[in-house]
Amino acid sequence: MSTMDKETWDDLTLTAYIDGELDDATHNAVLSAMEYDKALSERVCRLRRTKDWMHAGYSSALPPQRTLPKQHPSARLLRNGLAASFIALAIGIGSGLLGYVCAERGATTLAENADPNRIVLHIDDSDPQHFGQLLDYTEAFLQEHRDSGVQVEVVANAGGLDLLRVDSSPYEQRVKTLTENYTNVQFIACMNAIRNLTAAGIDATLIDDVHTGETAVDHIVKRMNQGWTYRKVDSLSDI
Amino acid sequence: MGLISCINSGAVLRRRIATSRERLYRVALAWCGDGMLADDLVQETLSLALQKVHQLRDKERLNAWLYSILNNRWKQYLRSRRPHEDLDDERPCEKPGPDLMVDRLEIVSRVRAAVAVLPLEQRRVLALVDLEGFSYNDVAEILEIPTGTVMSRLHRARKGLVKLLEPDETMPTEVTGPSLRRVK
């Protein structure tokens, strides 16, 4: 007979044995005791069966197909400056990380309770298809909310600046027409992007009525802090 | 942590949250016994987790954290349904129906019916340990109860399940020894 008397194996200990919650010495002692104590083995087996039952009962249960809930990051993210850092990084290196962050969130509004009537649209790539999407969306939004006091700003940096440069824009006339027809839309070119082009010897002359003077990051962060809704061009097809 | 690492880490966490739906659902189903309710609880859990993920300090605790949220949503639901009921009440939620004992249903149905008969707090512990393999300490943290309570509820749940699923067999005589002092 082992020094461990079988009466000492209370059910709580055996339950812990089944779950691997005993220390090594006690675990081994139970294991040894089971070799000569059939009743003990039966108790352990009986208790262990519940694991098998639970798996049999629920492992096949599958939830209905549902989309992931939309995420609404707290305003604290903005207040503590993290959002500004993300945007600065994304815009600064022109890598589209801001868009990546937004896409991950499944929503492009970074500020909680952002005003849907004040939208800052951001483009940072030179894809002509994106230019078209952006202008289509801008025009449709302005038309649809003509009498609602909406405000739209289109902010371009990195490759997106091509939309607003005389030398490169495939939509120069359309940009002009929009600014002429709507007083509540503004096109804004990133000051840093202009400076970089100029430094590289590229003509950065902007289409008439396009504004500049601020970096894209400063402007977007300012607007978001003012409660504007932020949307990146990649997300516009979701509308 | 650099900004890029920070962004990547956040993306990884969100992906892990998104892929937790099925596991959360199974536990929620074991707790509440209602597929639609379980689905709603999980959806609320995921929504809240995505909103609050930046508050999670120890990323390794994501799994336990998700079940803590699920537990809180479940408790809120119960309070709204039965505001005067003591959630720690150990009485069975309902009497086992005679059909449970006499019908030989397939194992899935029988197990779910038996689990539904267990007291609510026992179900909660049983699902976390036997379905998800959480340690006693993790369960204690998730449910905000002492580890000893986890153990006693788990033991009672298992005994109850055996009694319900093997009604013709009795558990071998329980030995009542000194209180357990040998867990990790």
Side-chain angles (χ1 to χ4, degrees):
Chain A
M1 178 71 74
S2 158
T3 53
M4 286 283 188
D5 189 281
K6 70 178 180 183
E7 269 76 23
T8 63
W9 302 122
D10 57 277
D11 280 1
L12 283 182
T13 303
L14 297 185
T15 298
Y17 169 80
I18 291 164
D19 295 317
E21 292 276 349
L22 292 176
D23 59 54
D24 289 345
T26 312
H27 180 92
N28 291 337
V30 173
L31 197 59
S32 300
M34 284 168 61
E35 286 179 16
Y36 62 79
D37 187 341
K38 192 180 172 191
L40 179 64
S41 293
E42 285 178 2
R43 284 169 60 202
V44 170
C45 285
R46 189 69 55 86
L47 289 170
R48 199 196 300 272
R49 286 194 65 185
T50 61
K51 280 184 184 293
D52 298 332
W53 281 330
M54 289 298 283
H55 282 283
Y58 294 96
S59 60
S60 61
L62 291 174
Q65 289 288 330
R66 286 179 78 159
T67 54
L68 200 60
K70 289 214 168 186
Q71 190 186 1
H72 302 287
S74 73
R76 198 166 64 82
L77 192 64
L78 278 178
R79 285 199 296 275
N80 69 15
L82 263 181
S85 299
F86 287 152
I87 293 167
L89 177 67
I91 293 178
I93 65 179
S95 64
L97 272 176
L98 179 57
Y100 171 72
V101 170
C102 293
E104 278 289 329
R105 288 175 172 164
T108 47
T109 302
L110 283 174
E112 231 172 35
N113 304 319
D115 183 352
N117 289 328
R118 294 185 298 164
I119 300 183
V120 57
L121 301 168
H122 174 212
I123 184 159
D124 64 356
D125 68 77
S126 57
D127 183 346
Q129 193 176 345
H130 281 169
F131 292 167
Q133 280 178 348
L134 178 65
L135 295 175
D136 288 347
Y137 175 81
T138 303
E139 190 164 11
F141 185 83
L142 290 168
Q143 279 180 353
E144 189 177 341
H145 301 90
R146 183 177 283 275
D147 302 318
S148 307
V150 298
Q151 287 179 277
V152 179
E153 289 183 347
V154 177
V155 178
N157 72 303
L161 196 66
D162 286 357
L163 173 67
L164 303 182
R165 289 198 300 122
V166 172
D167 272 5
S168 56
S169 179
Y171 292 105
E172 178 178 355
Q173 189 52 49
R174 198 165 168 200
V175 170
K176 284 181 177 174
T177 304
L178 276 172
T179 53
E180 285 166 9
N181 291 346
Y182 297 95
T183 56
N184 50 346
V185 63
Q186 280 200 346
F187 289 86
I188 297 162
C190 173
M191 186 177 66
N192 273 353
I194 295 172
R195 188 181 297 144
N196 290 340
L197 286 179
T198 304
I202 299 171
D203 183 5
T205 304
L206 301 173
I207 297 170
D208 291 345
D209 293 327
V210 172
H211 298 259
T212 186
E214 260 183 315
T215 65
V217 59
D218 287 343
H219 191 77
I220 291 174
V221 170
K222 181 176 75 182
R223 289 306 192 208
M224 290 171 70
N225 279 323
Q226 290 169 347
W228 287 51
T229 297
Y230 169 85
R231 297 211 63 154
K232 193 155 186 286
V233 65
D234 313 9
S235 71
L236 297 182
S237 57
D238 300 339
I239 297 169
Chain B
M1 180 184 285
L3 276 173
I4 291 177
S5 301
C6 183
I7 291 169
N8 286 337
S9 168
V12 168
L13 283 177
R14 283 190 290 277
R15 271 196 294 277
R16 284 178 61 192
I17 290 171
T19 55
S20 300
R21 182 187 292 277
E22 288 187 11
R23 289 185 301 107
L24 287 165
Y25 176 77
R26 281 193 281 272
V27 168
L29 182 62
W31 286 357
C32 72
D34 179 322
M36 288 178 66
L37 175 58
D39 184 41
D40 285 344
L41 289 170
V42 171
Q43 187 77 354
E44 288 175 17
T45 299
L46 293 174
S47 178
L48 205 60
L50 287 169
Q51 285 178 45
K52 305 283 185 188
V53 67
H54 63 278
Q55 295 178 356
L56 180 63
R57 292 183 183 278
D58 182 358
K59 310 305 179 199
E60 299 303 315
R61 305 292 301 162
L62 176 68
N63 208 25
W65 180 68
L66 285 173
Y67 285 93
S68 297
I69 296 174
L70 179 66
N71 181 49
N72 287 332
R73 304 310 297 172
W74 172 227
K75 284 201 292 192
Q76 277 181 15
Y77 169 80
L78 290 174
R79 287 198 184 97
S80 68
R81 285 279 313 275
R82 295 174 292 186
H84 304 300
E85 184 166 331
D86 181 0
L87 292 180
D88 290 328
D89 193 342
E90 288 289 338
R91 289 171 301 174
C93 294
E94 57 186 75
K95 297 284 184 191
D99 290 346
L100 174 68
M101 300 304 172
V102 296
D103 287 351
R104 287 301 168 193
L105 304 174
E106 62 163 331
I107 186 70
V108 172
S109 304
R110 289 203 301 129
V111 169
R112 290 188 191 178
V115 170
V117 169
L118 295 175
L120 189 152
E121 291 301 332
Q122 292 181 22
R123 263 182 278 159
R124 210 181 301 223
V125 173
L126 184 69
L128 289 172
V129 175
D130 278 356
L131 283 180
E132 285 305 302
F134 278 114
S135 71
Y136 293 173
N137 286 337
D138 281 343
V139 175
E141 187 181 314
I142 291 168
L143 301 181
E144 297 177 311
I145 55 177
T147 305
T149 305
V150 171
M151 294 168 64
S152 59
R153 285 179 181 171
L154 179 64
H155 173 59
R156 285 200 292 274
R158 284 177 173 159
K159 273 186 68 178
L161 210 54
V162 169
K163 197 178 286 184
L164 288 165
L165 290 170
E166 293 183 345
D168 299 333
E169 298 179 42
T170 54
M171 283 284 285
T173 309
E174 178 175 346
V175 177
T176 52
S179 59
L180 183 76
R181 297 179 195 282
R182 297 181 290 266
V183 288
K184 287 175 183 172

